[in-house]
Amino acid sequence: MIVEILLDATVRAGTPILFATLGAIINERAGIINLGIEGLMLIGALAGFTAAHLSGSLAVGVLAAFTAALMAGAIHGFITVQLRGNQIVSGLALTMFGIGITALFGRSMVGIRLDGFTRLAIPGLSELPIVGKAFFNQDPLIYLSFLLTVLIWVFFYRSRWGLALRSVGENPAAADTCGISVSLYRFCAVAVGSGIVGIGGAYLSLAYTPLWMENMSAGRGWIAVALVIFASWSSGRAMLGAYLFGGLTALQLRFQAMGTEISAHILQMLPYVFTIVVLVISTIRLEKGASQQPAGLGEAYDREDRK
């Protein structure tokens, strides 16, 4: 019983991180670093909550979250792709922009609660022991995260558009020589990937805790940035990694509920301490050449510089 509860809590806590990581993977597979994940999650969370509150439709809220984050990500795409600006600086500015604008426009939403997404049980599968409730008796956004994980893998490795996108991230000059529009693929990857990150924010405000509070992403965007490297830019590994972090969050809450003598501050630090450990391990793997990092990641491309 306890294992089922913890596994269920793990999936729910890991889902917003999974959405954010999937979106970041799409960005980086195209060669663009996006450190604005935290800000995009907040923008998606507020846009989704506001739209759902005003329209009375959770589906409209999710669509609004995707659109708002996509538009914010498009700004990052324009700066880094069209203007060939510094990707690190632009991403950090996007995070600060997201934190500031959601704090400003979210004031009127503080204290409002919504009837969030409810669970939809899959007949038969939801009755399976241990894994039934965690994976087959969840809300629609969790099922969407399962579907996106598979679709992104299929897109990258079973479609010519995915191959073109990966080639843009690996060797943009070669891709350009083959007639692939580097700017178009990179811009679309940044925009769509940012929209998926926004859905992760919407999950926080419409399903996980259906209310709005300032800075409710609580650093999950930064965890997603680290998780992309840990997952070696693979959507399947991203799911495992997101649930690993979700499990730490679930254990933290479980320990607090049990009245443990361990300080609550130490328990709250666990996911972020683990993030540092993940970065150290990932850096070692990068130095040993064991990672699948896109060769052109972080490099601006200008056709005029092509040799």
Side-chain angles (χ1 to χ4, degrees):
M1 184 65 177
I2 295 179
V3 175
E4 290 182 354
I5 294 174
L6 282 176
L7 188 57
D8 176 62
T10 293
V11 172
R12 292 180 62 81
T15 295
I17 300 175
L18 176 57
F19 276 117
T21 306
L22 292 176
I25 286 175
I26 294 175
N27 281 208
E28 296 198 6
R29 276 294 186 183
I32 301 297
I33 298 173
N34 190 349
L35 297 185
I37 304 299
E38 182 80 359
L40 290 169
M41 289 189 76
L42 287 170
I43 290 171
L46 180 60
F49 185 85
T50 303
H53 173 63
L54 296 177
S55 68
S57 170
L58 295 174
V60 170
V62 174
L63 181 60
F66 176 82
T67 303
L70 182 147
M71 294 174 65
I75 298 174
H76 179 62
F78 178 74
I79 293 172
T80 58
V81 178
Q82 268 67 39
L83 302 182
R84 296 182 293 282
N86 187 290
Q87 298 177 16
I88 304 299
V89 174
S90 177
L92 292 175
L94 181 57
T95 285
M96 296 188 326
F97 171 75
I99 293 173
I101 197 171
T102 53
L104 175 63
F105 291 104
R107 291 177 181 176
S108 60
M109 294 293 159
V110 175
I112 299 176
R113 299 188 65 90
L114 294 178
D115 293 327
F117 283 100
T118 57
R119 295 175 183 261
L120 298 175
I122 298 178
L125 295 176
S126 61
E127 303 300 326
L128 291 173
I130 302 179
V131 298
K133 181 180 180 181
F135 293 99
F136 305 110
N137 186 15
Q138 292 289 2
D139 61 72
L141 287 183
I142 291 182
Y143 294 137
L144 176 61
S145 72
F146 297 161
L147 180 61
L148 274 178
T149 301
V150 175
L151 288 179
I152 289 173
W153 183 89
V154 171
F155 172 75
F156 279 138
Y157 299 103
R158 293 294 184 270
S159 74
R160 65 184 182 90
W161 298 284
L163 176 61
L165 182 63
R166 287 191 292 124
S167 69
V168 164
E170 291 289 340
N171 192 330
D176 191 14
T177 302
C178 294
I180 298 172
S181 176
V182 175
S183 297
L184 178 61
Y185 270 87
R186 282 189 165 184
F187 182 82
C188 289
V190 173
V192 174
S194 298
I196 293 175
V197 174
I199 297 177
Y203 180 82
L204 290 172
S205 61
L206 299 180
Y208 195 60
T209 52
L211 53 83
W212 169 254
M213 65 179 71
E214 187 175 337
N215 197 29
M216 70 183 309
S217 57
R220 290 177 176 87
W222 297 113
I223 291 176
V225 170
L227 191 55
V228 171
I229 306 173
F230 180 73
S232 296
W233 293 266
S234 165
S235 61
R237 292 175 186 172
M239 174 178 278
L240 295 176
Y243 290 159
L244 179 59
F245 280 101
L248 288 173
T249 302
L251 283 174
Q252 162 204 323
L253 297 175
R254 183 71 179 178
F255 281 140
Q256 291 184 28
M258 292 170 59
T260 179
E261 295 182 358
I262 302 175
S263 170
H265 300 292
I266 294 178
L267 292 175
Q268 291 171 1
M269 287 169 53
L270 285 179
Y272 308 102
V273 170
F274 193 74
T275 301
I276 297 174
V277 174
V278 163
L279 284 174
V280 172
I281 295 174
S282 301
T283 302
I284 294 173
R285 291 174 60 195
L286 283 171
E287 291 178 349
K288 292 183 177 180
S291 174
Q292 298 179 11
Q293 174 179 320
L297 181 62
E299 298 180 3
Y301 176 72
D302 185 354
R303 173 176 287 185
E304 300 300 324
D305 296 334
R306 189 175 66 188
K307 296 180 180 179

